[in-house]
Amino acid sequence: MTVERLRLLIVCTANQCRSPMGEAIARSLLYERSIASEVASAGTEALDGMEATDGAKITARKLGRDLSEHRIRAVSGDLVAMADLVVAMEPRHVVDLVNEFDAALARTYTLPELADLVRVEVLKGPQST
């Protein structure tokens, strides 16, 4: 399977701090690496339309990112279905996504799980064929 554009969804609880910051950082890093992507974030218990917290905006600004236009949104079946990769902040988010939105477990990870997978692949190095 060839993916022309990576569709990434980052999920936390309220979509006010962690997932919007993850979205901004991921979008920036993927762009810097010329990886075609669509990056979105959402929350399992989010109230649509509110802004990111002041603390998240300040922290993002310190990292060279801007959350001033971010508006909170609740996770939906459509968002989950469109994603090639779903990154959740906590194990309970993965459980919620799989149970409530039929997210494929094979493409839904917590951030630490995904980091561990990447670390293992980097340590293994290039595979000879």
Side-chain angles (χ1 to χ4, degrees), residues 4-26:
E4 292 181 21
R5 175 178 296 275
L6 173 65
R7 295 169 302 176
L8 173 62
L9 176 62
I10 303 173
V11 177
C12 70
T13 304
N15 192 224
Q16 287 184 296
C17 298
R18 297 175 291 175
S19 59
M21 287 177 40
E23 175 186 358
I25 292 167

Side-chain angles (χ1 to χ4, degrees), residues 100-122:
E100 294 179 38
F101 301 104
D102 203 26
L105 196 53
R107 62 181 170 83
T108 307
Y109 301 90
T110 63
L111 185 57
E113 288 172 332
L114 186 60
D116 286 345
L117 287 172
V118 169
R119 188 173 14 264
V120 166
E121 290 304 311
V122 168

Side-chain angles (χ1 to χ4, degrees), residues 3-114:
V3 176
E4 292 181 21
R5 175 178 296 275
L6 173 65
R7 295 169 302 176
L8 173 62
L9 176 62
I10 303 173
V11 177
C12 70
T13 304
N15 192 224
Q16 287 184 296
C17 298
R18 297 175 291 175
S19 59
M21 287 177 40
E23 175 186 358
I25 292 167
R27 181 177 288 120
S28 168
L29 292 173
L30 291 164
Y31 176 80
E32 289 169 7
R33 288 161 178 76
S34 299
I35 298 172
S37 62
E38 295 174 30
V39 184
S41 66
T44 58
E45 298 175 26
L47 300 174
D48 287 339
M50 296 174 58
E51 295 183 12
T53 65
D54 290 340
K57 290 178 190 176
I58 291 166
T59 301
R61 197 171 18 252
K62 288 179 183 177
L63 296 171
R65 307 315 192 269
D66 181 14
L67 293 181
S68 62
E69 299 298 315
H70 175 75
R71 293 299 175 266
I72 295 167
R73 71 173 149 183
V75 70
S76 68
D78 288 342
L79 281 173
V80 172
M82 76 87 194
D84 300 308
L85 175 63
V86 180
V87 180
M89 295 297 134
E90 300 177 31
R92 70 182 172 111
H93 299 136
V94 172
V95 171
D96 289 347
L97 293 165
V98 170
N99 288 337
E100 294 179 38
F101 301 104
D102 203 26
L105 196 53
R107 62 181 170 83
T108 307
Y109 301 90
T110 63
L111 185 57
E113 288 172 332
L114 186 60

